[in-house]
Amino acid sequence: MKKYLLDLTVSSVERLNDRYVLIKLTQDSPLPEMRPGQFVEIKVENSPSTFLRRPISINYVDRKSNELWLLIAVVGDGTRQLAQLTEGSKLNCLLPLGNGFTMPASTDEHILLVGGGVGVAPLLYFGKVIRDFGADVSFLLGARSAKDILELEKFRSIGQVFVTTEDGSLGEKGFVTNHSILQKKTFTRISMCGPTPMMKAMGAFARKAGTDCEASLENMMACGLGACLCCVEKTTEGNLRVCQDGPVFNINKLLW
């Protein structure tokens, strides 16, 4: 897929809570084709400690408003600078990068999308694409507390949503692997993104259940083009570059 280096215009910046912001970007011409699970490398201006671009998952692509959504966790100086962007600002983006999630093969599929924390970001767009294809899609979202569950109403507008929180403030108390839906319903595939321990636990569940499962890895990615090799993951096929060969991998390829 062709890659583009674009100066996109910020159409809005929405503070979701004290840690997360949703940035919407646009341009005069139609945005390029992007697949769910791919990511963007962003150039961060005005941050003396941020020398490399920042990889950000594609949260959503709204073709009607010609907007690209990026859900950002504010954790360092680079992301703090991004959170301070205002409407009309320009953001230099290299996109789309990496390989995305596996699309359903038929409308008979029942797909579960599992996300933890900011790992829910790429699942919103994927869920919308699955729904538009005609397959069944459900979401299982996990976080520490209710305030950390992101874009809940947007997920609910696409499919059925199940929630776990560690403190029990929303949904079922515990981790995503403890949710009762996993015992009540059979899925043809699980696709997930989030903290590695969560994905390893969900991967173990999928293996035991005989369910096809894929994970979007969040290894540190510097160049996004497979040149720097800092995102290498050991797999059954040897060392693979997450930014180039992933970030989505079937869990049977991962040494978990």
Side-chain angles (χ1 to χ4, degrees):
M1 182 179 287
K2 185 177 179 180
K3 299 175 178 60
Y4 299 82
L5 186 63
L6 303 174
D7 285 317
L8 299 180
T9 302
V10 175
S11 54
S12 70
V13 179
E14 179 184 353
R15 174 71 71 165
L16 302 184
N17 58 32
D18 59 354
R19 190 183 175 195
Y20 298 98
V21 294
L22 177 63
I23 298 176
K24 298 182 180 181
L25 304 168
T26 190
Q27 63 178 11
D28 292 336
S29 59
L31 291 167
E33 178 186 355
M34 289 172 267
R35 294 197 298 264
Q38 291 186 300
F39 65 98
V40 180
E41 284 275 359
I42 295 176
K43 184 178 180 181
V44 181
E45 304 285 0
N46 304 318
S47 175
S49 62
T50 308
F51 303 104
L52 302 172
R53 289 177 178 267
R54 286 291 180 264
I56 305 293
S57 296
I58 293 170
N59 177 220
Y60 193 75
V61 180
D62 188 334
R63 290 295 173 187
K64 290 183 179 179
S65 60
N66 195 40
E67 287 181 327
L68 165 65
W69 298 9
L70 301 178
L71 182 60
I72 295 175
V74 182
V75 294
D77 186 64
T79 48
R80 279 195 295 271
Q81 293 298 326
L82 293 175
Q84 292 172 15
L85 290 170
T86 56
E87 183 178 343
S89 301
K90 294 293 184 179
L91 199 56
N92 186 262
C93 301
L94 178 62
L95 78 164
L97 300 173
N99 295 306
F101 291 108
T102 302
M103 286 296 299
S106 76
T107 55
D108 295 328
E109 287 205 47
H110 301 279
I111 300 173
L112 179 65
L113 306 185
V114 183
V118 76
V120 304
L123 305 183
L124 186 68
Y125 184 37
F126 189 28
K128 197 265 187 184
V129 171
I130 292 172
R131 185 196 66 185
D132 290 351
F133 177 80
D136 177 72
V137 60
S138 300
F139 302 96
L140 176 53
L141 311 178
R144 292 180 179 178
S145 66
K147 68 180 180 64
D148 299 310
I149 296 291
L150 305 171
E151 301 183 305
L152 181 57
E153 293 309 312
K154 294 181 177 68
F155 280 107
R156 285 174 171 165
S157 71
I158 294 172
Q160 193 169 15
V161 180
F162 305 95
V163 173
T164 65
T165 50
E166 293 178 28
D167 64 0
S169 55
L170 184 66
E172 296 186 10
K173 185 175 182 179
F175 302 111
V176 291
T177 46
N178 306 130
H179 199 286
S180 59
I181 190 61
L182 298 176
Q183 310 304 324
K184 295 177 181 178
K185 186 174 180 179
T186 300
F187 298 93
T188 54
R189 188 184 332 130
I190 295 172
S191 297
M192 57 186 175
C193 184
T196 299
M198 181 210 80
M199 293 198 293
K200 285 184 175 180
M202 185 57 66
F205 166 84
R207 284 194 177 100
K208 185 176 181 180
T211 304
D212 189 38
C213 183
E214 59 186 3
S216 178
L217 304 187
E218 296 183 315
N219 296 31
M220 179 65 69
M221 292 181 278
C223 71
L225 298 170
C228 69
L229 304 180
C230 74
C231 65
V232 164
E233 177 79 14
K234 293 181 179 179
T235 74
T236 58
E237 298 177 2
N239 292 334
L240 295 180
R241 299 161 298 176
V242 170
C243 70
Q244 190 82 356
D245 303 305
V248 180
F249 295 91
N250 189 291
I251 62 166
N252 292 329
K253 190 179 289 186
L254 301 173
L255 300 180
W256 287 356

